[in-house]
């Protein structure tokens, strides 16, 4: 039986760069779920498919940096 390789998950820094005033309500909830409240606030998350999917939805509002 082959050993499963553990996928290396890095960390990413997500920063809110645009306001959520005039965006869809679902996108506001995604930004809030990412832990972002004010412009220029940031959070560091593990890089996994769930977080990457959330970021893909609101990519026009956030900036992502690999750490």
């Amino acid at each position: 039986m082959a050993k499963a390789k553990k996928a290396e998950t890095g960390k990413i820094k997500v920063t809110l760069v645009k306001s959520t005033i005039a965006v869809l309500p679902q996108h506001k909830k995604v930004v809030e779920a990412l832990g972002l409240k004010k412009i220029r606030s940031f959070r560091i998350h593990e890089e996994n498919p769930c977080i990457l999917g959330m970021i893909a939805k609101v990519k026009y509002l956030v900036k992502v940096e690999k750490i």
Side-chain angles (χ1 to χ4, degrees):
M1 193 166 185
K3 290 184 180 178
K5 288 186 178 180
K6 189 171 186 177
E8 287 193 30
T9 58
K11 297 210 180 244
I12 52 176
K13 179 179 175 182
V14 184
T15 306
L16 186 63
V17 293
K18 290 184 81 176
S19 175
T20 59
I21 289 175
V23 299
L24 295 172
Q26 297 92 346
H27 292 192
K28 285 184 184 183
K29 290 179 183 177
V30 169
V31 169
E32 186 179 318
L34 284 169
L36 306 172
K37 295 183 179 185
K38 297 180 178 181
I39 295 176
R40 290 186 299 278
S41 65
F42 67 91
R43 290 287 303 243
I44 296 175
H45 292 283
E46 289 290 327
E47 187 176 0
N48 60 40
C50 180
I51 297 294
L52 294 177
M54 293 168 75
I55 290 170
K57 266 195 175 209
V58 293
K59 63 185 172 192
Y60 63 100
L61 297 173
V62 298
K63 179 177 77 170
V64 180
E65 301 172 34
K66 205 162 242 208
I67 295 180

